[in-house]
Amino acid sequence: MSVEQITDDGKVKILRLNHKSGAVCEIYTYGATVTKFKNAAGKDLIWLSTTAKLDGTKAIRGGIPLVFPQFGQPIKEMAQHGFARNNTWGYDKESDITSDDEVGVTLFLDQTMATHEAWPFPYRLEFQVFITSNGSLRTSLFVKNTGAEAFKFQCLQHTYLNVGDISKTSVNGLQYQRYLDKTSADTSVLNTEDRAAVDFKLFTDRVYLNVSSPSEGKGIQVSTGDGTIQVEGRALWKDGNQIPSDTVVWNPWEEKAKGMGDFDDDGYLKMLCIEPGLVADFHLLPPGGQVSLVQSLSA
Ligand code: BG6
C-alpha cells in the first residue's frame, strides 16, 4: 500500500495510489482529476481521451473532473462547469492515509488558489480519493463555506466510465426517475424514464433528479459487454443528513465528439458519463456549513 508522487520539475503532477489488491488509481493535482482506476482484476473503469490535454492548459477530457461552483453555465461570466477542474489543487503528503486495507489522499482548493469575480466567496474544497478495503474507488468532494455569508453552489463528479462498447452498454437503476433532457427544445420539461435498462444510440444529455437514495439502497448498474460497473452517488450535510442528489448521464455521440478537439473521434463508442451531483438547482450553504458528495465505483 503506498502513495507515490510522480513529479515534473519538482512540482507534484500525479499521485498514484497502489493498493495491496493490485488496484491502482492516478490523480492529477491539476483539477484534482482522477485519470485512472484499475481494479484488482485489472479492469480499467475510467475512460480518458487519448487526445486529452494533460499539461494544465485545459480541463482534462476524461477521468473524473470536478464541477464547482456551477454546472453548465447559469452564471454566464464564468466558464462552463466552474473553476475547480482547471486549477491546480494543493496536496499535503501528511494527509495521506494508508491503513491495513485502505489507501487514500486528500487534495484541497480555496479562494486564494482559484476564484471568480462572479462568485467571490471564501470556500474550501477537499477531495478525498480512496481505494477501499473491498477494492472499490471512493471519491468524496467536500464543499465548505469558510466565509461570513451564505453562498449558492452546484457541484458534481463528472465521471467518464470506460464501457468498452456503447452498443453493448445499458444502465439500470433509473426507471421511473424524473429527468430533464438537455438535448430537447425545452430543457425545463420534466420527463419520466420508462425504461428498466437505458441504452444508447444517439446524443444523450440528461439530468436525472434526486436519483440517489441510500435509505432505499439504490445505486446505478452499468452493464457493459464484459461485466457490470456499479456507481453509487450520495450527498450529505455536515450533520450526516442526506440531501437528494442528481445523476447526469451524457454521451456526446459522433458529431459532437468530432467537434471537440480533445475528444477522440471514436471515443463516444467507448465511454459513458454517469455523474453524481447537486446540479438540478443551486444549493444554499450557510457560513460554517459543509456538504459532501460521495461516489463509489466498483466492478
Ligand atoms: C455534461 C453536461 O455534464 O458535461 C453536458 O451535461 C456537457 O451538457 C458535458 O456538454 C461536457 O462539458 P464540457 O464543458 O466538459 O465539454
Side-chain angles (χ1 to χ4, degrees), residues 61 71 80-81 85 156 158 160 182 205 248 250 260 275:
R61 179 65 67 192
F71 171 71
Q80 156 132 320
H81 294 345
R85 64 177 180 166
L156 170 133
H158 199 304
Y160 288 77
K182 291 174 71 181
D205 193 358
V248 177
W250 180 64
M260 288 181 268
E275 314 160 24

Side-chain angles (χ1 to χ4, degrees), residues 272-287:
L272 178 66
C273 282
I274 302 283
E275 314 160 24
L278 295 170
V279 295
D281 246 320
F282 276 98
H283 287 256
L284 190 68
L285 197 60

Side-chain angles (χ1 to χ4, degrees), residues 118-188:
W119 196 91
F121 301 101
Y123 72 91
R124 182 175 169 91
L125 299 182
E126 288 181 5
F127 190 50
Q128 291 183 351
V129 182
F130 271 88
I131 303 178
T132 68
S133 52
N134 64 9
S136 61
L137 182 73
R138 187 179 71 237
T139 49
S140 308
L141 177 65
F142 296 87
V143 179
K144 302 179 187 191
N145 183 344
T146 55
E149 56 177 308
F151 62 61
K152 286 182 175 173
F153 75 101
Q154 296 171 307
C155 65
L156 170 133
Q157 299 194 31
H158 199 304
T159 308
Y160 288 77
L161 296 176
N162 173 24
V163 296
D165 182 348
I166 196 72
S167 72
K168 296 186 178 142
T169 299
S170 61
V171 176
N172 286 276
L174 295 170
Q175 194 175 27
Y176 309 130
Q177 303 286 348
R178 293 166 309 148
Y179 67 91
L180 304 172
D181 186 350
K182 291 174 71 181
T183 71
S184 71
D186 184 351
T187 56
S188 65

Side-chain angles (χ1 to χ4, degrees), residues 4-247:
E4 278 176 74
Q5 294 179 36
I6 303 167
T7 59
D8 175 6
D9 295 336
K11 282 175 71 183
V12 175
K13 291 284 187 195
I14 309 173
L15 306 171
R16 182 183 290 152
L17 308 183
N18 299 301
H19 191 264
K20 63 182 178 187
S21 64
V24 172
C25 172
E26 288 179 3
I27 309 128
Y28 277 68
T29 56
Y30 182 73
T33 311
V34 169
T35 51
K36 182 184 190 67
F37 174 53
K38 187 186 280 211
N39 73 4
K43 190 174 162 67
D44 267 310
L45 271 64
I46 297 285
W47 180 84
L48 177 66
S49 178
T50 63
T51 50
K53 292 266 183 227
L54 298 172
D55 58 0
T57 56
K58 190 178 192 305
I60 294 175
R61 179 65 67 192
I64 313 180
L66 298 173
V67 168
F68 176 87
Q70 70 171 349
F71 171 71
Q73 212 170 6
I75 305 171
K76 295 285 170 247
E77 303 79 27
M78 199 194 299
Q80 156 132 320
H81 294 345
F83 51 71
R85 64 177 180 166
N86 53 9
N87 278 282
T88 298
W89 290 47
Y91 161 68
D92 183 357
K93 175 105 193 111
E94 284 179 12
S95 67
D96 290 356
I97 295 185
T98 33
S99 68
D100 281 351
D101 45 23
E102 292 204 337
V103 57
V105 290
T106 303
L107 293 95
F108 59 91
L109 192 75
D110 66 24
Q111 75 283 355
T112 66
M113 303 158 79
T115 189
H116 195 282
E117 58 191 18
W119 196 91
F121 301 101
Y123 72 91
R124 182 175 169 91
L125 299 182
E126 288 181 5
F127 190 50
Q128 291 183 351
V129 182
F130 271 88
I131 303 178
T132 68
S133 52
N134 64 9
S136 61
L137 182 73
R138 187 179 71 237
T139 49
S140 308
L141 177 65
F142 296 87
V143 179
K144 302 179 187 191
N145 183 344
T146 55
E149 56 177 308
F151 62 61
K152 286 182 175 173
F153 75 101
Q154 296 171 307
C155 65
L156 170 133
Q157 299 194 31
H158 199 304
T159 308
Y160 288 77
L161 296 176
N162 173 24
V163 296
D165 182 348
I166 196 72
S167 72
K168 296 186 178 142
T169 299
S170 61
V171 176
N172 286 276
L174 295 170
Q175 194 175 27
Y176 309 130
Q177 303 286 348
R178 293 166 309 148
Y179 67 91
L180 304 172
D181 186 350
K182 291 174 71 181
T183 71
S184 71
D186 184 351
T187 56
S188 65
V189 173
L190 210 46
N191 306 280
T192 301
E193 180 59 76
D194 53 12
R195 294 170 295 174
V198 176
D199 59 0
F200 300 90
K201 296 194 170 73
L202 73 181
F203 172 39
T204 303
D205 193 358
R206 295 179 168 194
V207 181
Y208 287 87
L209 307 172
N210 303 346
V211 168
S212 70
S213 177
S215 53
E216 293 165 35
K218 276 191 191 164
I220 290 176
Q221 301 85 41
V222 182
S223 302
T224 66
D226 65 348
T228 302
I229 303 173
Q230 179 81 27
V231 186
E232 283 176 40
R234 63 202 166 104
L236 301 164
W237 293 115
K238 191 178 182 174
D239 60 12
N241 274 328
Q242 195 203 325
I243 316 165
S245 62
D246 313 306
T247 301

